[in-house]
Amino acid sequence: MTDLLLSLSDHDLPRADTGDLLGDLVALLKDVAELLRTPLMQAMVRASLEGSVDQEARQSFWAERMHRSSVIIERAIRRGELPAGADARSILEHAASPIYFRLLITGEPVTDRDIRRFAERAIEAAQGA
């Protein structure tokens, strides 16, 4: 399971520059939702929660995902959409957490409209901080 988790960290995240933070974040969240809908990723998350995945591997996986995703936050800072020093991890966690909750905990659907709303909320929170 640990090796499988580490191989998933190679999954490319959207790096397309849509020209604004909202577009970039929506693209990222759509990819997250798509990945979480796969049986493989669902099994990996369950295994992680059950302790079947080595803690170091789990932390390495999430650190790599955050590192790869943070490029969209860095671009937004350069464009002036977010304040300098904005915490990329906090913004990404704020935006993605509802997707994880719905798809993995409650089993509720996540629509494109939901994804846009999650992205907007995370951006508003980051801009107000």
Side-chain angles (χ1 to χ4, degrees):
M1 284 300 234
T2 298
D3 291 338
L4 191 54
L5 180 66
L6 292 175
S7 74
L8 284 173
S9 68
D10 290 335
H11 176 76
D12 281 335
L13 298 168
R15 301 250 172 113
D17 188 347
T18 65
D20 70 354
L21 177 57
L22 181 59
D24 290 352
L25 194 52
V26 165
L28 174 69
L29 295 178
K30 284 181 179 181
D31 186 63
V32 167
E34 181 181 320
L35 185 60
L36 285 175
R37 288 182 183 110
T38 66
L40 177 59
M41 190 60 173
Q42 290 173 9
M44 291 308 303
V45 170
R46 279 193 300 276
S48 257
L49 294 173
E50 294 167 355
S52 302
V53 176
D54 176 75
Q55 181 176 355
E56 185 177 326
R58 189 173 63 234
Q59 290 173 341
S60 176
F61 171 80
W62 290 110
E64 180 62 21
R65 299 289 292 181
M66 288 295 173
H67 173 73
R68 290 181 184 201
S69 301
S70 68
V71 67
I72 66 173
I73 305 303
E74 293 164 7
R75 286 193 304 242
I77 292 170
R78 284 193 302 271
R79 288 189 297 250
E81 294 176 277
L82 292 172
D87 184 351
R89 185 175 183 128
S90 291
I91 296 165
L92 296 167
E93 287 176 351
H94 186 135
S97 292
I99 296 170
Y100 282 82
F101 183 79
R102 284 193 183 182
L103 293 178
L104 301 174
I105 306 298
T106 68
E108 294 176 84
V110 175
T111 66
D112 285 351
R113 183 176 176 201
D114 294 327
I115 287 173
R116 184 176 179 89
R117 190 173 65 242
F118 300 153
E120 290 170 342
R121 287 182 195 164
I123 292 167
E124 288 171 11
Q127 289 171 334

